[in-house]
Amino acid sequence: MPDDHVRVGRVGRPHGLDGSFFIEHPSETRDRFEVGASLWVAGEAAKVVGARQARGRPIVKLDRAVPRGAWLTVPRAALPAPGEDSYYTYQLVGLEVVEEGGRPLGRVQEVAPGVANDVLELDSGLALPMHEACVREIDLDAGTIVVAPGFTEST
């Protein structure tokens, strides 16, 4: 994936016989998957030529065949600016995570979707919930995330 692109979903299992497929891990911005929308797959542009939902999950057909498991991306420049005190999850990757009081915990390697909330996966092996009880402050300019104490102890 080019550095100037952001993942918005992944090609899932086929749906029907016309080349349509379920989108795994879809973006919450569902208009990305409407007919006429542009997506990128393996560095090449593709147009959505068919779109529907099944059991609340998006199903699309692109103007070309794409391999199952491939990531669907959009250019970062195509994203609207986040609102105040908002951010995109890709902006968190690479930020240093410190506990209140200054103890370094590691850097964010990935923001993984979770059942109740997303999870910050750190290069130190820690996994921290993206929940207000844990995450106290995100400062994109400083490159840091401050978390509450008590989320790093094992039980």
Side-chain angles (χ1 to χ4, degrees), residues 17-66:
L17 301 173
D18 69 349
S20 295
F21 57 87
F22 282 98
I23 297 179
E24 297 174 351
H25 311 294
S27 165
E28 292 177 11
T29 307
R30 296 301 170 121
D31 61 351
R32 296 191 196 295
F33 310 119
E34 292 179 353
V35 172
S38 293
L39 296 170
W40 291 75
V41 184
E44 294 184 24
K47 283 270 190 225
V48 176
V49 295
R52 59 188 181 275
Q53 297 253 333
R55 297 180 298 277
R57 296 176 53 204
I59 297 169
V60 299
K61 179 180 178 182
L62 300 179
D63 62 357
R64 63 184 178 85
V66 294

Side-chain angles (χ1 to χ4, degrees), residues 79-132:
L79 299 174
E84 188 174 333
D85 293 327
S86 296
Y87 49 84
Y88 288 106
T89 55
Y90 78 84
Q91 293 175 298
L92 304 180
V93 175
L95 296 186
E96 180 182 5
V97 179
V98 296
E99 201 169 54
E100 287 177 330
R103 181 170 74 112
L105 301 176
R107 291 196 176 273
V108 177
Q109 281 190 315
E110 184 175 346
V111 181
V115 175
N117 44 259
D118 290 345
V119 176
L120 296 173
E121 294 182 353
L122 309 186
D123 60 2
S124 62
L126 290 173
L128 302 170
M130 284 288 298
H131 187 276
E132 61 194 22

